[in-house]
Structures are given as structure tokens and as C-alpha cells.
Amino acid sequence: MKRKVQGIVTREKILDSAEVLFFERGVSCTSLEDIAHAAGMTRGAIYGHFSNKWALVAALFERSALPLDPFTISAEKLNGATLNAFRTELERLLADVLRSGPQRRLYSIAFSTARTEGNAVVSASMLGEAARVAQSSIESALRTAVDDLEVTDHIDYAVEAIYIHSLLTGCFHLSLLLPSHQGAEEAHASAIVGRALSTLPIDEVL
């Protein structure tokens, strides 16, 4: 039992080190030797848990249990959502990837891995399908939120969902290139989401 617990602890330590290095340097520029050094162990210890670097990348996403697109609204959030709840959820999703932490690192790794030649665990086609799922979830949530409101004009929910998703995705991608909003992620997310919803022909947009 003790050896099993030690094995789990070692595996988690390897994954933690790999997550940080893959985010900071990119998967292609990080070696197993780098990860072993950061984790304070030998490369052989890593091979005891993972066959190669790509197996490590796959394990990171399995451990997170996150959807492949950061702006996917979960099914439990879709039922009976008000416009205020819809906005709050979008703000939360955006703030989560703007803030330094596991989600920001993992989604950055996913996008960079999709551009890598060879044994990419996350392909461009997978990200494309995940984006379609995310847009569909945003469309469904928006329909539910607006259903009982006074709408001043026709709303093309599919187009609005694409616009909202594109704006949030673009904001996240730019945040990886520009200086961070450290300490102001929630305020920045609120402003971006407010702008995304401001084009809706609804009197009650918050």
C-alpha cells in the first residue's frame, strides 16, 4: 500500500512539473530530462510512469477532466439559466483562463500542441470540433436565458454564439502574448463579456 501511495505521489509530481514546463517552454522545447530535473528525480523514474512525452501530455488532460474548449457551458448550467446567470458563467470561464493557474496552462498547452507536427495529442481538428461544441452550448444557454425576456428584434442565436465565442477565445489568445491582467482578471472578464452581450437587441442586458 505504501509503495502504491508513493507511486501516485511521484506521478502527480511529474505531471505538475510537466504542466508548468510545457506552458512556459512549449511541449516541443521541453525534454523528459527537463521534467525530471524540475521534479527532482531521474528520467528513469518518469519512464516508470510514462512511455514518452506525449503520454505525459495526454495524462495532463485526463487528470483535468476539462472540456477541450475553455468556453464550453456545462449541461447543468443550461437548464433554466437567466441572462444574469449566463453572463456570470461566461465571466467565470474567461477569468479562469486569464488567471495564472492550471486551466490557463492546460488550454495554452492544448492550443500549442495542435500546431505541433507529429504525435500531437490534441489535433487542430479536435480543437475545431470542441469549438463547435462550445458554440452550441453558448447558443443553447443564450436561447434559454432570452426565452422569457422582451426581445426588441430578431436574434440569430447561432451567429451571436459564434461572435461571443470568438471574442472570448481571441481575448484568451491575446492574453498569452500580451502583459497579464494579474489581479484584475475578473474585472477584465466582466468588461469583455459585457461588450460581447452589448449587441443583443434586449432591454435587460446587464
Side-chain angles (χ1 to χ4, degrees):
M1 175 63 78
K2 185 177 179 180
R3 291 187 66 180
K4 184 177 181 179
V5 172
Q6 288 177 335
I8 293 173
V9 172
T10 298
R11 188 177 190 275
E12 289 299 301
K13 192 172 183 179
I14 293 169
L15 287 173
D16 289 343
S17 297
E19 181 183 299
V20 172
L21 290 180
F22 287 159
F23 172 69
E24 292 178 346
R25 305 180 184 181
V27 177
S28 60
C29 295
T30 302
S31 67
L32 290 181
E33 191 70 43
D34 295 330
I35 296 169
H37 180 73
M41 58 187 68
T42 65
R43 191 169 61 175
I46 294 180
Y47 280 121
H49 293 270
F50 304 99
S51 57
N52 54 45
K53 185 165 56 176
W54 298 107
L56 253 172
V57 174
L60 283 173
F61 287 99
E62 289 169 5
R63 180 175 72 162
S64 73
L66 291 169
L68 199 50
D69 189 289
F71 305 113
T72 305
I73 299 177
S74 64
E76 64 207 28
K77 300 285 187 179
L78 294 178
N79 296 324
T82 63
L83 189 60
N84 185 52
F86 174 62
R87 173 171 181 163
T88 299
E89 179 64 5
L90 291 180
E91 290 175 355
R92 183 188 69 81
L93 293 173
L94 181 55
D96 281 347
V97 292
L98 293 180
R99 187 185 303 110
S100 296
Q103 291 195 45
R104 180 175 176 80
R105 291 194 292 267
L106 283 170
Y107 284 119
S108 173
I109 292 167
F111 289 126
S112 64
T113 300
R115 297 192 298 270
T116 303
E117 297 288 337
N119 299 315
V121 174
V122 181
S123 66
S125 62
M126 289 169 65
L127 286 183
E129 178 57 30
R132 283 189 286 273
V133 171
Q135 288 170 6
S136 178
S137 74
I138 291 172
E139 179 183 347
S140 296
L142 182 58
R143 283 181 183 276
T144 301
V146 173
D147 192 44
D148 295 326
L149 299 181
E150 191 69 32
V151 177
T152 59
D153 200 358
H154 171 71
I155 296 178
D156 189 327
Y157 290 99
V159 170
E160 292 296 339
I162 292 171
Y163 171 70
I164 291 168
H165 180 262
S166 299
L167 190 61
L168 301 188
T169 300
C171 181
F172 170 52
H173 279 260
L174 281 175
S175 77
L176 297 171
L177 303 174
L178 301 174
S180 70
H181 299 275
Q182 189 171 359
E185 294 87 358
E186 286 78 8
H188 190 64
S190 179
I192 293 297
V193 171
R195 183 67 185 87
L197 300 182
S198 66
T199 59
L200 292 173
I202 301 171
D203 294 332
E204 297 188 34
V205 171
L206 302 174

